[in-house]
Amino acid sequence: MEEVVASPREWIDRNESAKTMLARVLTARPLLLLPPLHRVPLRVGNVVELVGTSPSAKTHILIQAAVSCVLPKEWNGVHYGGLDRLVMFIDLDCRFDILRLSKMLKHRINGESNGSLKKIDQEHMDFDLWNNDTKKSPTYDEELYSLCMRRFLFIRCYDSFQFLATLKTLNYRIRKEQELHGISVHILMIDSIGAFHWIDRASTFMPLGATNRKTPSLQTVSETVVQEIRKLLLLHPMLVIATKATIFGDRYSMETKRNLGKLDTSNSRSMSSTSLQLPYREYMPSVWQNGCSHHRVLWINL
């Protein structure tokens, strides 16, 4: 096994390989998100929007972050480097695969408990699972696996009304889960925030009950979503990560996509959509865009 160099100066002096450097960095500070998103200065109270095309691994990034969050820092003398917290996952796309989460969690547990995999190799292993690599894995700690899976709180919504109802009752749900597990929710994940946008836009909201009841619109739905998230952050300090799928226009070449496929960590309140010049049309209302503290973190699948 290659010895990890302790001094960062060795990397500057070219006496340390990139693999050894990453192994040292990941040991000292485990990543919550996959590179290059690990460079985003995230903290509790931020609302992060991950934007990308359908095959750009947005959900995979959420799963990888969830695994790092639910794992304990240490278990039975084995260091896992997790956050030892709860994760609340709201599935709006209705395509979440719980088996992928299960496989990634088992591989992370196996890699640490067997001591045969470095942290830099675990990231490659996570991507192998995403690419449907079904290699047989060794035995794992069943008790730890069950504990981590219970810490992953899953909610599925099939329309905007269910999503709004979920947000309005989420405070009670989070308090109940925190009392049950004895730990707090660290990440609220929303996959994907724009799932119902085009359905709601194409259909007419029918009034419920009295005819004089106000009919909700796309703007009012987005305003309610932002308001409820802000209320939750006041009561339960946590990190909010929302994914959003987009479609690139045909007039943008692959070379343009490569040039624009860079990470943008600018604050949404100081950046406009026109100044970013992204190769897609923003369809979410401005109230949602302004509600993101880290706006348009772009991940392009090349």
Side-chain angles (χ1 to χ4, degrees), residues 5-16 21 24-25:
V5 180
S7 174
R9 186 68 185 180
E10 299 293 339
W11 167 251
I12 300 177
D13 296 335
R14 298 185 180 182
N15 292 327
E16 181 184 18
M21 184 273 293
R24 170 174 54 78
V25 172

Side-chain angles (χ1 to χ4, degrees), residues 16-244:
E16 181 184 18
S17 66
K19 182 177 181 180
T20 306
M21 184 273 293
L22 287 176
R24 170 174 54 78
V25 172
L26 291 175
T27 302
R29 186 181 61 181
L31 299 182
L32 182 64
L33 296 176
L34 292 173
L37 298 183
H38 67 289
R39 296 197 298 264
V40 183
L42 302 179
R43 64 179 183 273
V44 170
N46 289 154
V47 180
V48 185
E49 183 186 63
L50 300 181
V51 183
T53 54
S54 182
S56 55
K58 299 184 300 297
T59 303
H60 182 77
I61 293 175
L62 295 185
I63 295 177
Q64 189 268 348
V67 170
S68 298
C69 186
V70 299
L71 278 171
K73 295 180 180 179
E74 187 174 342
W75 179 269
N76 291 337
V78 180
H79 180 75
Y80 291 95
L83 299 179
D84 208 10
R85 306 284 286 277
L86 299 175
V87 171
M88 180 69 70
F89 192 101
I90 302 179
D91 180 22
L92 305 184
D93 207 21
C94 300
R95 294 189 299 178
F96 181 76
D97 186 4
I98 194 66
L99 292 179
R100 188 197 301 182
L101 170 67
S102 175
K103 291 179 180 180
M104 290 178 61
L105 178 59
K106 289 180 181 179
H107 272 45
R108 284 288 297 271
I109 295 175
N110 292 337
E112 296 292 352
S113 60
N114 294 333
S116 59
L117 295 174
K118 294 183 180 179
K119 291 184 180 296
I120 185 61
D121 296 326
Q122 293 171 9
E123 302 297 338
H124 294 290
M125 182 168 52
D126 287 346
F127 276 109
D128 290 338
L129 286 172
W130 180 51
N131 292 323
N132 297 323
D133 186 357
T134 57
K135 296 180 180 179
K136 185 178 180 180
S137 60
T139 58
Y140 61 95
D141 192 326
E142 181 68 32
E143 183 180 359
L144 176 59
Y145 169 79
S146 300
L147 174 65
C148 293
M149 290 299 291
R150 288 194 299 268
R151 291 177 173 180
F152 184 80
L153 312 176
F154 181 79
I155 301 175
R156 174 166 289 174
C157 302
Y158 294 94
D159 54 47
S160 295
F161 291 103
Q162 289 187 7
F163 181 40
L164 293 179
T166 297
L167 291 178
K168 289 183 176 294
T169 59
L170 204 55
N171 176 37
Y172 172 78
R173 171 73 182 273
I174 291 178
R175 291 176 56 184
K176 184 177 179 181
E177 295 292 347
Q178 288 179 350
E179 294 175 359
L180 177 63
H181 295 273
I183 53 178
S184 60
V185 175
H186 185 68
I187 309 178
L188 171 63
M189 300 179 175
I190 305 176
D191 187 29
S192 89
I193 191 63
F196 309 130
H197 177 84
W198 300 109
I199 298 177
D200 295 342
R201 186 174 180 176
S203 61
T204 302
F205 284 89
M206 300 301 296
L208 301 177
T211 57
N212 59 351
R213 182 174 178 178
K214 183 180 179 180
T215 303
S217 62
L218 291 174
Q219 182 69 20
T220 56
V221 169
S222 297
E223 290 176 355
T224 305
V225 169
V226 173
Q227 291 174 3
E228 294 300 327
I229 290 179
R230 288 175 178 175
K231 292 178 182 178
L232 283 172
L233 292 179
L234 292 176
L235 299 174
H236 307 280
M238 54 188 173
L239 173 66
V240 179
I241 305 178
T243 64
K244 184 179 69 178

